[in-house]
């Protein structure tokens, strides 16, 4: 599905409200576009209507004019033509009005000499005897027109009120729809991100993901709020104007219709160049977000190693690239936006002058002043939506690029989040000939086979990169294996949903992550099934009550992002309490005591005896003294298990484990 169709699909989620908004818009445009027609009627029927033929009548009404002892009425207002008497005319020459006591055969250029009126049109020429009207007499002829003018003014005022009301309604509804669309889109993106495999985030900086959820969706919001609203409004406005112009004059309307394909071709030309620039701009913005995120996260290292200048230079390079492409977009917009409107407007006025000027040269082609006024008014109004459309080209193209980026993220294959099956596992884990590679052809685990029975503690040791964390990543199904199988209680983990599997597992990382909230909320993670009593009991069991007693609000102490106001030991204890509160069948400790001082480690070691009771526990540890009591120790080297057994058995073998243990023991002794 194309980007445009997907954007339309989001809009159609609110098609009922959208339909109402469009109806409001059509009514508002229709009401507003009555203005030139009303103006035309006021000019032709009333202001210039005094020049229409009059006939003499006997009865005096509110539509008759009394002049020199006779009553006259405009011939088009006489209901009974049998009552018509002598025909007269009133003509304007310059600023003067003249009474012609006979019919005028044709109209054309007028000249006055004394009491003689001469009218010429091509080769034809007529002379009439006239009488100049005084101001009072002129007003007498205009007086019957006043009521009609007032009615038209009031009618136009009513149309403007209707237009304002419905214009407000459509604007409000379109804005509301736009905000709803972006609200849903952001939810969809955020939900989808949580279904993506961990592999997706391995090579994608967090700042780039954040940019797509915030910056790109905000640009799309601008698309719905401003761009599409402007395009739809302008399109309907233009359709209404063209309909009115065709009603006034078909030929000239057809000439003005040429503007539509010109705008289309112009937009295609614009998109060809703008697409390249906007893709680069959005990419650079993502890189800027990533750089900012990286700099803020690593500010301690930057300052400690005096890396401020180099970081600033890296940021400046990105910022300058962004400025350079923005400047290119500015040049493109300046060249292809306003110049287009000015060109089309000038061509339209040339066509208008040429057409009406040529028409006035023939007696049969003379156009009324009202029609001329209405056409000029509609022509001016026509270029308002054209200007609006052209000025939105840049935003439209930018939003299109942002939409592509967001939809590309939504198209990334994810795993559907399923409701976990409510069953309690025993925790019997088996790895059967497991081989795994993060990148094809580079195996990080090779033929891994071992068994961890319920309640056992299995320790994984080895040098950095030996595959310890990879085994745990596979057990949690952050990644899927290429060969072999992993069983829990005799059932393959690939025959059950990730949510069901992870519901039975708890994990404590070397650098625990705490979320904004309180200590208590970080234990439960907002899970309503975990009661307050369970939270407090878990914290006390891991020894956190003693360590956190200095905090003013106790377990309700606020926690900022990542728990930076707490010590590493306090954060680790909260992480242990979190794992305990979820009551997992399998507990994973990934270097859980690596960054903890000796006193805190002693507290945690005592708590671990409680936490591990009845659970299968996997411990990844560099500090080998912490795993001496493990039921089984697996020694990994280059992705393979090279030794296995208890601490005593491995020490007796005198292999790799014994060497590592003696080295650490010697380092501690010498320290």
């Amino acid at each position: 599905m194309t980007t445009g169709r997907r954007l339309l699909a989001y809009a159609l989620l609110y098609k009922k409200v959208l339909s109402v908004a469009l109806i409001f818009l059509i009514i508002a445009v229709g009401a507003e576009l009555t203005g030139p027609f009303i103006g035309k009627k006021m000019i032709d029927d009333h202001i210039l209507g005094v020049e229409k033929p009059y006939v003499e009548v006997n009865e005096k009404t509110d539509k008759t004019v009394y002049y020199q002892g006779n009553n006259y009425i405009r011939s088009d207002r006489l209901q009974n033509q049998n009552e018509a008497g002598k025909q007269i005319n009133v003509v304007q020459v310059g600023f003067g009005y003249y009474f012609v006591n006979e019919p005028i055969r044709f109209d054309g250029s007028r000249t006055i000499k004394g009491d003689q009126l001469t009218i010429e049109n091509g080769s034809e020429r007529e002379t009439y005897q006239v009488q100049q009207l005084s101001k009072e007499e002129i007003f007498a002829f205009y007086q019957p027109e006043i009521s009609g003018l007032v009615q038209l003014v009031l009618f136009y005022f009513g149309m403007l009120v209707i237009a304002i009301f419905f214009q407000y309604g459509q604007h409000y509804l379109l804005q509301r729809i736009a905000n709803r669309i972006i609200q849903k889109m952001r939810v969809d993106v955020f939900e989808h991100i949580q279904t993506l495999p961990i592999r997706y985030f391995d090579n994608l900086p967090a700042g780039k993901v954040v940019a797509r959820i915030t910056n790109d969706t905000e640009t799309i919001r601008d698309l719905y709020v401003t761009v599409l609203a402007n395009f739809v409004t302008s399109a309907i406005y233009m359709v209404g104007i063209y309909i009115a112009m065709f009603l006034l004059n078909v030929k000239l309307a057809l000439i003005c219709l040429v503007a539509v394909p010109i705008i289309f071709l112009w937009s295609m030309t614009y998109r060809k160049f703008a697409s390249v620039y906007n893709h680069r701009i959005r990419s650079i913005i993502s890189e800027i977000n990533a750089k900012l995120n990286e700099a803020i996260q690593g500010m301690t290292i930057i300052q400690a190693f005096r890396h401020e200048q180099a970081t600033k230079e890296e940021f400046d390079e990105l910022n300058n690239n962004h400025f350079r492409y923005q400047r290119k977009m500015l040049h493109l917009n300046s060249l292809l936006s306003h110049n287009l409107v000015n060109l089309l407007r000038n061509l339209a006025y040339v066509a208008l002058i040429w057409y009406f000027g040529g028409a006035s040269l023939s007696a049969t082609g003379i156009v009324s002043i009202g029609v001329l006024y209405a056409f000029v008014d509609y022509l001016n109004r026509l270029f308002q939506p054209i200007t609006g459309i052209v000025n939105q080209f840049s935003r439209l193209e930018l939003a299109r690029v942002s939409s592509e980026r967001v939809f590309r993220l939504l198209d990334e294959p994810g795993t559907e989040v399923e409701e976990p099956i409510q069953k309690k596992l025993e925790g019997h884990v088996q790895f059967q000939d497991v081989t795994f590679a993060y990148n094809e052809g580079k195996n990080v685990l090779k033929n891994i086979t071992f068994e961890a029975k319920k309640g056992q503690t299995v320790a994984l040791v080895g040098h950095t990169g030996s595959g310890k964390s990879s085994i745990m990543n596979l057990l949690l199904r952050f990644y899927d294996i290429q060969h072999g199988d992993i069983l829990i209680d005799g059932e393959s983990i690939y025959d059950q949903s990730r949510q069901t599997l992870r519901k039975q597992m708890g994990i404590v990382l070397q650098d625990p992550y705490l979320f904004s909230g309180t200590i208590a909320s970080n234990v439960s993670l907002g899970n309503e099934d975990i009661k307050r009593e369970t939270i407090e009991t878990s914290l006390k069991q891991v020894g956190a009550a003693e360590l956190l007693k200095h905090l003013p609000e106790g377990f309700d102490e606020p926690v900022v992002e990542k728990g930076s106001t707490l010590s590493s030991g306090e954060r680790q204890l909260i992480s242990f309490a979190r794992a305990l509160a979820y009551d997992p069948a399998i507990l994973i400790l990934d270097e859980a005591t690596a960054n903890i001082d000796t006193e805190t480690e002693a507290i945690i070691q005592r708590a671990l005896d409680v936490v591990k009771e009845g659970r299968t526990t996997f411990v990844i540890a560099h500090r080998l003294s912490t795993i001496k009591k493990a039921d089984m120790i697996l020694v990994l080297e280059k992705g393979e298990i090279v030794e296995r057994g208890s601490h005593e058995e491995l020490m007796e073998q005198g292999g790799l484990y014994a060497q590592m243990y003696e080295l650490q023991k010697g380092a501690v002794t010498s320290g």
Side-chain angles (χ1 to χ4, degrees):
M1 189 183 295
T2 62
T3 301
R5 289 184 178 179
R6 295 181 74 165
L7 290 171
L8 179 61
Y10 268 99
L12 291 179
L13 292 173
Y14 308 94
K15 55 187 174 185
K16 291 183 179 179
V17 182
L18 184 61
S19 299
V20 174
L22 290 177
I23 292 171
F24 276 26
L25 178 58
I26 292 170
I27 294 173
V29 170
E32 188 177 344
L33 292 181
T34 58
F37 266 104
I38 293 172
K40 169 188 173 298
K41 190 170 182 63
M42 291 173 70
I43 293 171
D44 286 346
D45 291 358
H46 298 288
I47 297 175
L48 298 181
V50 293
E51 291 202 359
K52 292 186 177 183
Y54 285 78
V55 292
E56 186 178 339
V57 292
N58 294 323
E59 294 183 6
K60 182 175 177 62
T61 65
D62 59 341
K63 298 297 182 182
T64 59
V65 180
Y66 183 76
Y67 178 72
Q68 292 184 351
N70 297 312
N71 293 315
Y72 298 98
I73 189 171
R74 275 173 39 181
S75 60
D76 59 332
R77 290 176 179 166
L78 185 63
Q79 295 180 354
N80 188 355
Q81 295 297 326
N82 294 326
E83 298 176 1
K86 181 181 177 182
Q87 181 178 321
I88 61 100
N89 283 88
V90 174
V91 298
Q92 180 183 8
V93 183
F95 293 102
Y97 286 81
Y98 299 87
F99 180 84
V100 183
N101 197 20
E102 60 180 298
I104 293 177
R105 194 164 62 87
F106 60 87
D107 200 5
S109 62
R110 305 167 183 175
T111 55
I112 286 286
K113 279 191 178 182
D115 58 357
Q116 296 288 320
L117 168 67
T118 302
I119 300 178
E120 294 181 279
N121 193 321
S123 60
E124 296 185 283
R125 177 189 177 96
E126 289 284 344
T127 301
Y128 302 94
Q129 192 75 20
V130 298
Q131 296 176 1
Q132 187 169 6
L133 300 175
S134 65
K135 291 181 180 179
E136 293 76 12
E137 291 169 335
I138 294 170
F139 181 74
F141 277 95
Y142 269 111
Q143 195 166 13
E145 313 300 329
I146 292 175
S147 62
L149 288 169
V150 171
Q151 289 176 11
L152 287 173
V153 169
L154 291 176
F155 179 73
Y156 184 50
F157 178 76
M159 289 293 101
L160 286 179
V161 172
I162 292 173
I164 290 170
F165 173 78
F166 283 99
Q167 191 73 30
Y168 167 79
Q170 67 88 15
H171 181 75
Y172 171 78
L173 291 175
L174 286 177
Q175 296 279 328
R176 179 181 167 188
I177 292 169
N179 288 326
R180 284 290 188 189
I181 289 170
I182 297 308
Q183 180 187 36
K184 175 163 177 50
M185 186 176 290
R186 280 184 174 151
V187 169
D188 289 348
V189 174
F190 189 74
E191 284 183 350
H192 185 68
I193 282 175
Q194 296 181 89
T195 70
L196 295 177
I198 299 299
R199 185 188 300 276
Y200 177 79
F201 301 97
D202 287 343
N203 300 311
L204 187 68
K208 289 192 174 185
V209 179
V210 171
R212 295 193 185 185
I213 301 176
T214 55
N215 296 13
D216 286 334
T217 53
E218 187 63 23
T219 304
I220 299 172
R221 190 189 77 85
D222 196 35
L223 167 72
Y224 286 108
V225 171
T226 306
V227 180
L228 288 186
N230 197 301
F231 267 69
V232 172
T233 304
S234 298
I236 293 177
Y237 206 84
M238 288 176 67
V239 169
I241 290 173
Y242 274 119
I243 291 173
M245 292 172 91
F246 272 102
L247 291 174
L248 287 171
N249 193 295
V250 175
K251 289 182 180 179
L252 194 56
L254 286 171
I255 295 173
C256 294
L257 200 60
V258 175
V260 175
I262 291 176
I263 293 173
F264 177 77
L265 292 174
W266 208 289
S267 66
M268 292 298 100
T269 304
Y270 178 87
R271 282 184 60 181
K272 180 179 179 182
F273 294 97
S275 179
V276 177
Y277 298 155
N278 280 319
H279 271 99
R280 191 68 190 115
I281 287 170
R282 300 313 299 176
S283 177
I284 294 172
I285 288 176
S286 294
E287 291 175 18
I288 288 175
N289 275 305
K291 176 57 69 176
L292 284 171
N293 183 67
E294 183 183 68
I296 292 169
Q297 296 279 356
M299 191 57 69
T300 305
I301 301 299
I302 290 172
Q303 293 185 3
F305 286 88
R306 303 178 305 283
H307 198 60
E308 295 92 341
Q309 185 60 34
T311 304
K312 176 181 176 298
E313 289 173 358
E314 291 172 1
F315 182 82
D316 283 347
E317 183 179 355
L318 288 173
N319 208 22
N320 288 334
N321 285 337
H322 182 263
F323 172 77
R324 186 167 64 255
Y325 280 98
Q326 285 284 25
R327 186 173 59 186
K328 289 181 179 180
M329 278 300 303
L330 179 62
H331 290 160
L332 183 64
N333 291 333
S334 300
L335 178 65
L336 295 182
S337 294
H338 305 293
N339 291 342
L340 168 64
V341 178
N342 291 333
L343 175 64
L344 292 178
R345 181 185 289 113
N346 293 335
L347 289 175
Y349 281 124
V350 167
L352 186 70
I353 294 169
W354 170 78
Y355 184 82
F356 282 119
S360 66
L361 296 177
S362 62
T364 58
I366 293 176
V367 180
S368 72
I369 300 298
V371 172
L372 180 60
Y373 160 78
F375 224 101
V376 170
D377 195 333
Y378 280 128
L379 207 54
N380 279 327
R381 291 170 184 253
L382 178 64
F383 285 99
Q384 293 174 14
I386 289 177
T387 302
I389 289 174
V390 171
N391 287 343
Q392 296 301 326
F393 277 168
S394 59
R395 286 185 174 183
L396 175 63
E397 189 57 32
L398 187 60
R400 192 181 68 83
V401 171
S402 295
S403 302
E404 288 178 1
R405 288 162 54 82
V406 171
F407 291 138
R408 197 182 307 129
L409 176 59
L410 286 171
D411 288 338
E412 287 290 335
T415 304
E416 186 177 349
V417 177
E418 302 174 10
E419 192 66 29
I421 298 173
Q422 301 298 325
K423 66 176 181 178
K424 186 68 176 177
L425 297 179
E426 294 293 324
H428 181 196
V429 178
Q430 294 172 279
F431 272 61
Q432 296 180 346
D433 196 23
V434 171
T435 298
F436 168 71
Y438 291 104
N439 298 308
E440 190 175 349
K442 298 181 180 179
N443 293 338
V444 294
L445 294 176
K446 305 164 189 174
N447 309 113
I448 300 296
T449 300
F450 68 86
E451 181 178 7
K453 296 180 181 179
K454 176 185 176 182
Q456 283 189 335
T457 297
V458 177
L460 304 175
V461 301
H463 297 298
T464 301
S466 59
K468 304 184 297 297
S469 296
S470 295
I471 290 177
M472 296 301 97
N473 285 337
L474 296 181
L475 185 60
L476 285 160
R477 280 203 69 185
F478 288 150
Y479 301 88
D480 290 340
I481 61 178
Q482 280 80 35
H483 181 267
D485 201 0
I486 302 173
L487 309 178
I488 297 181
D489 295 349
E491 182 182 356
S492 173
I493 63 174
Y494 300 102
D495 292 335
Q496 52 190 307
S497 71
R498 286 176 169 82
Q499 286 68 42
T500 300
L501 177 68
R502 292 167 186 167
K503 184 176 175 62
Q504 307 296 328
M505 296 188 185
I507 184 169
V508 180
L509 300 172
Q510 177 180 350
D511 187 15
Y513 195 95
L514 300 187
F515 298 89
S516 300
T518 64
I519 290 173
S521 70
N522 267 282
V523 173
S524 67
L525 292 179
N527 189 338
E528 295 179 357
D529 294 334
I530 299 177
K531 306 301 181 186
R532 177 73 181 197
E533 181 183 351
T534 304
I535 294 172
E536 293 182 357
T537 301
S538 300
L539 285 164
K540 289 173 183 176
Q541 282 184 325
V542 299
E546 182 68 21
L547 203 60
L548 300 173
K549 65 181 181 181
H550 67 282
L551 298 176
E553 298 183 45
F555 297 152
D556 293 316
E557 181 73 15
V559 176
V560 298
E561 183 185 3
K562 296 180 69 176
S564 56
T565 57
L566 301 173
S567 69
S568 59
E570 290 168 339
R571 293 197 300 272
Q572 196 63 281
L573 284 172
I574 295 170
S575 183
F576 265 96
R578 178 192 295 165
L580 183 60
Y582 274 79
D583 190 24
I586 299 169
L587 182 64
I588 299 170
L589 308 177
D590 189 353
E591 306 282 1
T593 60
N595 296 330
I596 296 176
D597 58 83
T598 307
E599 183 180 349
T600 306
E601 183 183 355
I603 297 174
I604 291 177
Q605 287 295 343
R606 289 194 297 271
L608 277 176
D609 294 334
V610 178
V611 175
K612 293 191 295 184
E613 187 176 349
R615 296 183 174 88
T616 304
T617 305
F618 290 91
V619 181
I620 299 175
H622 281 302
R623 198 182 300 177
L624 302 184
S625 59
T626 62
I627 58 168
K628 290 171 65 176
K629 296 181 181 179
D631 297 294
M632 180 169 60
I633 299 172
L634 301 177
V635 183
L636 286 96
E637 179 71 15
K638 296 181 179 180
E640 298 181 275
I641 298 176
V642 294
E643 296 176 11
R644 69 180 71 202
S646 65
H647 172 75
E648 291 75 14
E649 291 170 347
L650 293 174
M651 289 302 293
E652 288 178 6
Q653 292 178 18
L656 180 60
Y657 176 82
Q659 294 176 19
M660 293 168 63
Y661 184 81
E662 292 298 334
L663 282 172
Q664 286 191 12
K665 183 179 179 181
V668 172
T669 303
S670 63

